[in-house]
Amino acid sequence: MTLFLGLGIAGIVLLALSLIFDGILEGLFGGVLDGLFDGLLSLPVIAGFLSMLGFGGAIVLGTTGVGTVAATAAGVLAGIVAAWLTWRFSRALMRDQTSTTPRGEDLVGTSGSVVTAIPADGYGEVLLRLAGQTVKLSAKSPEPVERGTEIWVEATLSTTSVTVRPVER
């Protein structure tokens, strides 16, 4: 029983360490194993197998009258199931790619409104929508623009400032 519980606890510790060291087993030996097992040697998969081997064997050994061999077999079966589920879940998460990160150039042509008046050849502030998020940026315009005026972004000056012009209707 102590051996099984030790294996289960070791699996949980390995799972916690996998948050820091995941991918280290696949990167060993100069990358020879890289991609060979397609994530089957990842630390979360091994940790899932090890912890279910230990805890599954301890549960079977403690609740039934079967011997150590049968408890080990049940633990191995539970470990294989846990490892397979961990592998499938991690593959599904890795396929879930988000869209590309918006860049400053994506602001060009965007409309917004002035929140702090922009003096001629000076800086004010504008509110823009970038990738569904409201962004407040410094803005420069060759002509004065009053607060509340709708504007178009003509160029990005830096990551926090843009050149704008008032929208003419």
Side-chain angles (χ1 to χ4, degrees):
M1 177 75 83
T2 305
L3 177 64
F4 286 126
L5 290 176
L7 286 174
I9 292 169
I12 290 177
V13 169
L14 187 60
L15 184 61
L17 289 175
S18 74
L19 295 173
I20 300 168
F21 298 114
D22 188 29
I24 199 165
L25 291 178
E26 292 169 336
L28 289 177
F29 309 114
V32 173
L33 299 178
D34 191 29
L36 185 64
F37 296 105
D38 193 27
L40 285 174
L41 283 182
S42 67
L43 286 178
V45 172
I46 293 172
F49 173 79
L50 194 60
S51 63
M52 284 308 293
L53 166 66
F55 291 134
I59 290 171
V60 169
L61 190 63
T63 59
T64 64
V66 298
T68 307
V69 174
T72 302
V76 167
L77 181 63
I80 290 172
V81 170
W84 182 79
L85 289 173
T86 304
W87 176 66
R88 295 292 296 175
F89 186 62
S90 64
R91 283 189 52 191
L93 288 176
M94 294 303 285
R95 279 194 310 266
D96 187 26
Q97 301 294 322
T98 60
S99 60
T100 59
T101 304
R103 299 178 312 236
E105 298 86 37
D106 295 335
L107 288 171
V108 176
T110 304
S111 66
S113 61
V114 177
V115 292
T116 303
I118 305 170
D121 290 323
Y123 282 94
E125 292 178 321
V126 293
L127 279 181
L128 305 171
R129 291 200 51 86
L130 177 63
Q133 298 291 325
T134 303
V135 180
K136 186 177 179 181
L137 298 172
S138 297
K140 187 174 187 176
S141 177
E143 59 188 76
V145 184
E146 296 298 318
R147 183 177 187 265
T149 305
E150 185 178 359
I151 51 92
W152 286 99
V153 176
E154 290 186 324
T156 56
L157 300 174
S158 71
T159 57
T160 59
S161 63
V162 291
T163 301
V164 298
R165 68 172 172 83
V167 173
E168 300 171 7
R169 295 198 185 252

